[in-house]
Amino acid sequence: MLEPMHANQVVGKYRQYDQHLYKQGFRHLLVTDIEVPYPDGKLIVSRTDTQGIITHCNQSFVDMSGYTEAELIGAPHSILRHPDMPTLAFKGLWDEVEAGKIWHGYVKNLRKDGAFYWVYATVIPNVREGVVVGYTSVRRKPSRAKIAAAIALYQTLKLKEGNHWEGPTQ
Amino acid sequence: MSTEPIFQLTVSPDFTPAHISGWYIFNTWLQRNLNVRAHCELYDDFESQRQAIRDDRVDLIYANPFDAAMLVREKNFTAIAKAIGVTDECVIAVAAESSIQHLEDLKPGARLAKTDDPDINLIGMIMLESVDLNDDSVEPVVVDSYVLVAKALLRGTADIGFFLKDSCDEFSGAIRKQLRPLVHSQIGDIQHILLASPRLVAHSASLRHALAEMPNNPQGNSVLESLGFMGWQLLEQEDTEFMIDMIDTLKAK
Ligand SMILES: Cc1cc2nc3c(=O)[nH]c(=O)nc-3n(C[C@H](O)[C@H](O)[C@H](O)COP(=O)(O)O)c2cc1C
């Protein structure tokens, strides 16, 4: 079960959400509008089992998420789910990879301290001897123009979902 | 006449020129330690090496990570080891007096000097992607070596250049002073690897043992020195599968 976020670990003024997560129930989220810039030259890498439970993450993943490796391994990947992201984006991700395909997209991720970071993510199925044994995601630094386009798209998707975008618009 | 097979050792064509003789020395070491016959074949470019792989002529290859997918997933090569003390990181640099201070200063049409080294070019383009540049919006200036990438920057025939980080360490102080790095990759998980063909697989246990022992005997040590490696780290097949998955995510458009 995912830990709720704690106000004493969050830096700055925050918005609050009760985010429903698949197989996790609701998680209470504390979200600030502080952006942590993507580190130049690095790749943020993680692997999950077929259920989306984290089985491996690299040092950049640990550094950017704000969690320790011990907190991450065994946690569902939705530990990073930011409430500004539309549900449809993740439906697209799972539809693609469960069909054995590659998924790309721009993702706003939530850190343990309530801040966020944007990534350009690619997720692929890990096929071993013909069987999908898990998924790998490699994130890279998105351009500001691509982030702006993603925000515009996610604003529209949020409206479709009967919701609206409450985050910064650039 | 002996009917023993002659195994072919080859090396990714982006090997540093200073270490060519090292690979012939490694080949001699290989024959003595595995008690096999082997021949070291160095290809001028990636395409001719890939053709040799397709034709099943290669038995042991120090492979560019970019080619690992084909070797492991199509040709059933087995991961043996990776070298300690070398990396496959990319530096994007400009001439010291260039007006370009940050990647963000680059405009479409920028002239990019690079070699044909596929993994460094892939990593370099990923760093340029963060400022909305791609293969269609840069003008490539392809040269044969990293020294020539440096020269293209110094002569002003290119605006930026992709370098293998380790190759910059071999430049003279004079060249290094005239270059200015803008950004460098810190990936860590993507590296050249030594892979064995199915034909050689019967020898892979003794090969692994001999590689692991190299730093512990004077003969092995001098071979490592001529290759510029500190030793070998043995690999599990899954380490390599993971690296291939990572590269697949980077190659995917
Ligand atoms: C390999 C892999 C990596 C993922 N990376 C992220 C991520 O970085 N951030 C994120 O919010 N969701 C990521 N997801 C999707 C989550 O599993 C989850 O679907 C998402 O956070 C939405 O939560 P929900 O499915 O519980 O609604 C990833 C999934 C996989 C398979």
Side-chain angles (χ1 to χ4, degrees):
Chain A
M1 211 53 206
L2 275 175
E3 291 274 308
M5 295 178 74
H6 298 290
N8 61 358
Q9 287 167 341
V10 170
V11 182
K13 221 180 104 209
Y14 53 80
R15 309 180 247 141
Q16 300 191 56
Y17 296 84
D18 283 305
Q19 176 69 53
H20 183 265
L21 300 173
Y22 178 71
K23 284 195 180 164
Q24 301 294 314
F26 285 88
R27 186 182 187 214
H28 192 63
L29 303 182
L30 310 178
V31 175
T32 73
D33 287 333
I34 300 167
E35 177 166 9
V36 175
Y38 192 107
D40 274 320
K42 296 196 178 176
L43 297 176
I44 300 175
V45 183
S46 64
R47 288 203 276 178
T48 70
D49 64 13
T50 53
Q51 304 300 306
I53 305 294
I54 300 171
T55 55
H56 163 100
C57 56
N58 72 353
Q59 189 58 42
S60 299
F61 191 107
V62 171
D63 294 343
M64 283 304 278
S65 70
Y67 292 97
T68 64
E69 189 175 349
E71 288 171 311
L72 291 165
I73 303 295
H77 220 307
S78 54
I79 191 170
L80 301 186
R81 201 237 195 270
H82 199 289
D84 289 350
M85 284 293 291
T87 305
L88 271 178
F90 298 115
K91 184 179 181 312
L93 182 163
W94 281 103
D95 285 351
E96 287 296 301
V97 300
E98 285 186 337
K101 296 186 195 145
I102 294 192
W103 178 85
H104 303 274
Y106 294 87
V107 181
K108 182 174 179 172
N109 275 326
L110 178 62
R111 291 165 49 96
K112 185 178 184 178
D113 64 4
F116 69 90
Y117 58 101
W118 277 102
V119 300
Y120 175 54
T122 305
V123 184
I124 61 162
N126 304 139
V127 183
R128 303 289 183 270
E129 284 158 16
V131 179
V132 175
V133 296
Y135 302 103
T136 296
S137 177
V138 178
R139 295 99 181 155
R140 41 221 238 210
K141 185 177 178 178
S143 75
R144 290 322 297 186
K146 292 286 172 35
I147 293 172
I151 292 173
L153 172 65
Y154 295 163
Q155 285 176 320
T156 324
L157 293 179
K158 278 272 184 191
L159 284 177
K160 276 194 191 151
E161 292 169 5
N163 227 314
H164 63 278
W165 177 268
E166 295 175 335
T169 50
Q170 53 176 321
Chain B
M1 275 292 286
S2 162
T3 55
E4 277 178 68
I6 301 180
F7 293 114
Q8 185 183 112
L9 162 71
T10 187
V11 179
S12 170
D14 56 6
F15 56 79
T16 36
H19 299 122
I20 294 184
S21 61
W23 286 106
Y24 287 102
I25 296 168
F26 179 80
N27 187 60
T28 307
W29 173 90
L30 191 71
Q31 301 193 72
R32 283 213 196 109
N33 280 271
L34 298 192
N35 201 16
V36 295
R37 299 210 295 160
H39 159 73
C40 178
E41 181 81 42
L42 298 180
Y43 295 90
D44 288 338
D45 54 66
F46 283 93
E47 214 24 69
S48 50
Q49 185 173 72
R50 284 179 196 136
Q51 193 53 52
I53 296 165
R54 280 184 217 112
D55 295 345
D56 297 325
R57 278 183 276 143
V58 170
D59 296 295
L60 186 63
I61 178 169
Y62 186 63
N64 190 287
F66 198 90
D67 287 335
M70 169 196 184
L71 286 156
V72 170
R73 297 201 175 153
E74 290 167 36
K75 289 293 180 182
N76 294 318
F77 276 59
T78 305
I80 302 289
K82 66 180 179 184
I84 302 170
V86 291
T87 66
D88 281 50
E89 301 294 356
C90 171
V91 178
I92 302 184
V94 293
E97 74 274 15
S98 165
S99 63
I100 299 162
Q101 299 297 328
H102 310 281
L103 282 187
E104 287 75 7
D105 300 335
L106 291 167
K107 297 274 173 304
R111 295 165 304 163
L112 164 65
K114 58 179 186 176
T115 66
D116 69 347
D117 182 351
D119 71 326
I120 294 305
N121 290 343
L122 180 67
I123 297 168
M125 286 316 294
I126 280 166
M127 293 196 282
L128 290 186
E129 175 191 78
S130 70
V131 293
D132 290 311
L133 292 175
N134 57 39
D135 283 324
D136 298 327
S137 58
V138 294
E139 205 175 295
V141 178
V142 181
V143 295
D144 281 339
S145 70
Y146 289 111
V147 175
L148 294 177
V149 173
K151 288 203 170 137
L153 296 177
L154 301 185
R155 291 198 188 114
T157 53
D159 305 307
I160 49 167
F162 287 170
F163 295 90
L164 170 69
K165 191 164 174 287
D166 288 352
S167 76
C168 299
D169 300 340
E170 289 176 16
F171 288 169
S172 71
I175 293 188
R176 236 179 299 163
K177 269 202 208 94
Q178 297 179 72
L179 298 174
R180 175 160 45 82
L182 291 180
V183 17
H184 63 101
S185 68
Q186 300 170 66
I187 296 172
D189 290 324
I190 294 180
Q191 218 190 305
H192 280 60
I193 47 176
L194 192 66
L195 296 166
S197 74
R199 277 213 310 171
L200 193 64
V201 108
H203 298 276
S204 69
S206 44
L207 173 59
R208 289 163 150 270
H209 178 75
L211 289 170
E213 282 300 312
M214 268 180 121
N216 302 332
N217 59 71
Q219 188 205 14
N221 246 320
S222 82
V223 178
L224 285 173
E225 201 173 306
S226 54
L227 288 170
F229 299 162
M230 283 155 63
W232 295 95
Q233 183 188 329
L234 300 184
L235 290 174
E236 301 294 330
Q237 192 71 0
E238 181 55 27
D239 299 330
T240 301
E241 294 280 0
F242 176 39
M243 184 182 84
I244 294 170
D245 285 335
M246 275 185 67
I247 293 173
D248 281 348
T249 70
L250 300 180
K251 277 185 187 171
K253 291 268 191 271

